[in-house]
Every structure is written in structure tokens, then in C-alpha cells.
């Protein structure tokens, strides 16, 4: 695949596009792709760019190098006042915003994992729609060791993926799991040799791109709605509104308003 480099305005990430696929790469390999507030801000911006780019149908999240997908929050800039410090000293937990953006993005997002997906980096791959792992991938949480936890998607969505017992084991013991163990417990979708990781991920993305974007967006919203309460219902129902706006029946209401007349819905079926 011939990636076009769109990274110029970013400092902590790389951003590429090709063939309807956008790729967002955390580019801090010296700290195993730990994120600081700036990294997360840029990921949010790149994800928004990919979401609003009509040429893009699916998005890959990954980390630079072979050693890590992401090792979570950068502990070197973790402050004392409730978050990770940016350059002007403000404390952030903005990775939680990124998690929500990943969930609500109507385009499928694939985590491409080589090496460690640990801590907040592990939660990031979990909230992606699919995870493709290299044989050297290692998964786990560290929160209770390093004085942190993610009780949001990190806990409840994990339990949906692997079940309550396993989720409690992962969080309470802070062990690491290899790619095969992660596959066996339903944390990831497939394991491939490291040298085939991008090729296989792109193959999955190309297959996704052959399918109906509307069906994919409604399915993602439907699968989210099960876990996401009223926000999930809003996503799902928003798609129903979107589809309704595309119908003659929906357009009759708009047209009548604009033409200052009563709407006439007589010809539209009242299906059983
Ligand atoms: C990722 C892991 C297992 C890798 O181990 P290894 O042995 O391959 O590498 P090493 O030597 O530990 O790390 C290489 C360099 O990367 C830095 C290290 O400090 C080291 O740099 P130097 O000391 O040589 O200068 N590095 C790695 N991870 C870092 C991190 N997260 N922050 C800052 N520097 C990091 C191993 O490195 C590891 O266990 N890392 C820590 C994982 C972790 O605890 N992450 C935070 C969890 S909390 C979280 O992410 C979070 C949350 O719970 C809730 C909300 C938001 C965030």
C-alpha cells in the first residue's frame, strides 16, 4: 500500500492515508508509545480528520516500531492534581475523550498491535472495533501497580469482552498475556506473524471497505448501544434519523414547511 504522509501538523503522531484507509500512529517509541496530553490531542484531531474525510472508510490505530502499540499514560508527566501535565502545566485525562471518540466514530477502527498494549494503551485497543495482533504482542493492565485504574470502558467493556472472572483477574493481578492467550479469551480478533502485521491489517480494511458504509455504521451503533446506555441509543437513533432524511416521506415534511403548506403523508405506507 502506498501511504500518503499527512503528518506535517503533528508532533507526537504520524498520520497517513491511502485507498480509503487512514492510519494514526503514536510516534513515541522511546517511551514504548506512552501518551502525553499532546499525543492524545493530536490523536483526537487526526481521528476527527479521518471521520470527516469522505474518502476514508476505515481507520487503523497503531504504534511506531515493533516493541509497543502503546504503554498507556506517560508516567513521567503524570502530575499530582488529577491527570497528565501538558506543556503549560494543565492536568488532563483526555484519553477518556479519545476513547469516546473511537466508540462514536461511525467508521470501523482497527487496532494494529505489535509488542506491548499495556495500561491505558490496552484500553485503547479494547475500545477499537477490531484488534489484529502480531505474535510478539503482549497485553495487560498495570493500574493497581502504578496507582491508577480505568473503571469506565477499561473495566465494564473489558468484562463484556472476556467475562467478569477474567476481567477481575486481568485487573487484580496485573499479569501480562501473550497474543495467543489474548485470542483465546476473546480480547483480539487474530494473530499474525510480525512481518505480516500491516499487510494483514490492510487486507481486513480492504474487505471492510467493500461493504455497505450505512450497514457498517448502523451495526457499530447497534453493537455500541448494548453497552452505552442513552448515548448508545442516541447513536443508533441518529442513524435512523439519517436514513429517514433520505426518504420521500421525511422530505415531504421539510418541503411542506418550506412551501408553507400542510404536509401530505397519505401516500406513505403504514406497514404492519
Ligand atoms: C510497557 C513495558 C511493559 C515495556 O517494558 P520494557 O522492559 O520493554 O521497556 P522499559 O525499559 O520498561 O521501557 C523503555 C522506556 O520506556 C519508558 C521507560 O521508562 C523506559 O525509559 P527509560 O527509563 O529507559 O528512560 N516507558 C515505558 N512505559 C512508559 C510509560 N507508560 N510512561 C513513561 N515512560 C514509559 C513497561 O515499560 C511498562 O510496564 N510501562 C509502564 C506501563 C504503565 O504502567 N502505564 C500506565 C498505566 S495507567 C494509564 O495508562 C492510565 C489509566 O490507568 C487511566 C487513565 C489514563 C491512563
Amino acid at each position: 500500500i502506498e501511504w500518503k504522509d499527512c503528518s506535517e501538523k503533528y508532533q507526537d503522531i504520524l498520520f497517513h492515508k491511502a485507498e480509503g484507509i487512514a492510519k494514526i500512529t503514536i510516534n513515541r517509541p522511546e517511551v514504548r508509545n506512552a501518551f502525553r496530553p499532546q499525543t492524545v490531542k493530536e490523536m483526537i484531531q487526526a481521528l476527527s480528520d479521518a471521520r470527516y474525510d469522505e474518502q476514508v472508510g476505515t481507520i487503523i490505530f497503531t504504534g511506531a516500531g515493533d516493541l509497543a502499540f502503546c504503554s498507556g499514560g506517560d508516567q513521567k508527566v503524570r502530575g499530582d492534581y488529577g491527570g497528565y501535565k501538558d506543556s503549560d502545566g494543565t492536568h488532563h485525562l483526555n484519553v477518556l475523550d479519545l476513547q469516546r471518540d473511537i466508540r462514536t466514530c461511525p467508521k470501523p477502527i482497527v487496532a494494529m498491535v505489535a509488542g506491548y498494549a499495556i495500561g491505558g494503551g490496552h484500553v485503547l485497543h479494547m475500545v477499537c472495533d477490531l484488534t489484529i495482533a502480531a505474535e510478539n504482542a503482549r497485553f495487560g493492565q498495570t493500574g493497581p501497580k502504578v496507582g491508577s485504574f480505568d473503571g469506565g470502558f477499561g473495566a465494564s467493556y473489558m468484562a463484556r469482552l472476556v467475562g467478569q472472572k477474567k476481567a477481575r483477574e486481568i485487573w487484580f493481578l496485573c499479569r501480562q498475556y501473550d497474543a495467543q492467550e489474548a485470542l483465546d479469551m476473546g480480547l483480539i480478533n487474530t494473530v499474525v506473524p510480525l512481518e505480516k502485521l500491516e499487510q494483514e491489517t490492510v487486507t481486513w480494511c480492504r474487505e471492510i471497505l467493500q461493504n455497505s458504509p450505512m450497514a457498517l455504521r448502523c451495526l457499530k451503533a447497534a453493537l455500541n448501544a448494548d453497552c452505552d446506555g442513552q448515548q448508545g441509543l442516541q447513536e443508533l437513533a441518529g442513524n435512523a434519523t439519517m436514513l429517514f432524511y433520505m426518504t420521500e416521506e421525511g422530505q415531504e415534511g421539510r418541503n411542506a414547511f418550506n412551501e408553507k403548506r400542510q404536509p401530505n403523508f397519505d401516500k406513505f405506507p403504514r406497514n404492519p
Side-chain angles (χ1 to χ4, degrees), residues 28-35 67-68 70-78 84 92-96 99 116-123 138 141-151 171 176:
R28 306 187 74 219
E30 68 284 359
V31 284
R32 300 291 185 267
N33 296 318
F35 53 78
L67 297 181
C70 175
S71 62
D74 185 331
Q75 300 305 299
K76 298 176 174 78
V77 299
R78 184 169 145 188
Y84 295 82
H92 299 262
L93 277 174
N94 55 352
V95 75
L96 304 180
Q99 292 173 6
Y116 291 103
I118 294 282
H122 186 255
V123 179
R138 290 186 74 78
Q141 299 297 155
T142 62
K145 273 194 183 158
V146 298
S148 182
F149 62 92
D150 182 339
W171 275 106
Q176 290 179 4

Side-chain angles (χ1 to χ4, degrees), residues 83-98:
Y84 295 82
K85 282 184 292 183
D86 70 13
S87 50
D88 67 17
T90 310
H91 287 60
H92 299 262
L93 277 174
N94 55 352
V95 75
L96 304 180
D97 300 337
L98 174 62

